[in-house]
């Protein structure tokens, strides 16, 4: 996983405290959920951005629209070969057993 997602594959954004004024319980639930799934992300540095009902995932200035990913058919090996500067997170290193 490149960015935090729920169990249905929906992208989760870091909850903004200002958005939840008066709804502290809801904020803390979403914040805990976000932090828990963020620990499962495989690569460091990826980000998400939403604009005009389109969601983009990116790293270091390169972005691609999420809906285009299935059409590209890029594999993890392709990322490793093309972007050898991408770092694994602690969760990924633990899963691999390095």
């Amino acid at each position: 996983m490149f960015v935090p997602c729920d169990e249905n594959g929906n992208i989760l954004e870091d909850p903004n405290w200002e958005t939840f004024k008066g709804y502290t319980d809801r904020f803390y639930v979403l914040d805990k959920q976000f932090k828990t799934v963020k620990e499962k992300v495989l690569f460091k540095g990826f980000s998400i951005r939403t604009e005009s009902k389109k969601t983009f995932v990116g790293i270091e200035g390169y972005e691609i629209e999420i809906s285009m990913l299935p059409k590209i058919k890029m594999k993890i090996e392709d990322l490793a070969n093309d972007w050898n500067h991408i770092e694994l997170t602690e969760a990924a290193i633990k899963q691999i057993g390095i």
Side-chain angles (χ1 to χ4, degrees):
M1 158 167 63
F2 295 91
V3 293
C5 296
D6 67 13
E7 59 276 352
N8 297 318
N10 300 312
I11 296 171
L12 299 177
E13 295 191 32
D14 196 353
N16 179 342
W17 175 255
E18 296 298 317
T19 306
F20 289 90
K21 286 184 179 177
Y23 300 97
T24 55
D25 291 341
R26 180 77 176 137
F27 171 79
Y28 287 119
V29 168
L30 292 175
D31 188 54
K32 182 177 180 178
Q33 179 188 22
F34 179 80
K35 288 178 180 173
T36 300
V37 297
K38 187 176 180 183
E39 292 177 6
K40 298 177 184 177
V41 172
L42 299 178
F43 303 103
K44 293 180 183 177
F46 278 86
S47 62
I48 57 170
R49 178 178 66 85
T50 303
E51 180 181 305
S52 302
K53 297 184 181 181
K54 294 181 180 180
T55 303
F56 300 86
V57 65
I59 188 169
E60 297 182 1
Y62 177 79
E63 290 184 328
I64 189 161
E65 186 182 341
I66 296 284
S67 66
M68 296 299 292
L69 289 174
K71 297 174 185 171
I72 295 173
K73 299 181 182 175
M74 184 179 273
K75 299 179 283 191
I76 298 297
E77 292 84 358
D78 298 327
L79 282 177
N81 292 330
D82 294 342
W83 295 343
N84 58 7
H85 58 280
I86 295 175
E87 294 181 57
L88 295 172
T89 61
E90 293 298 321
I93 291 169
K94 185 177 179 181
Q95 285 180 7
I96 295 170
I98 296 177

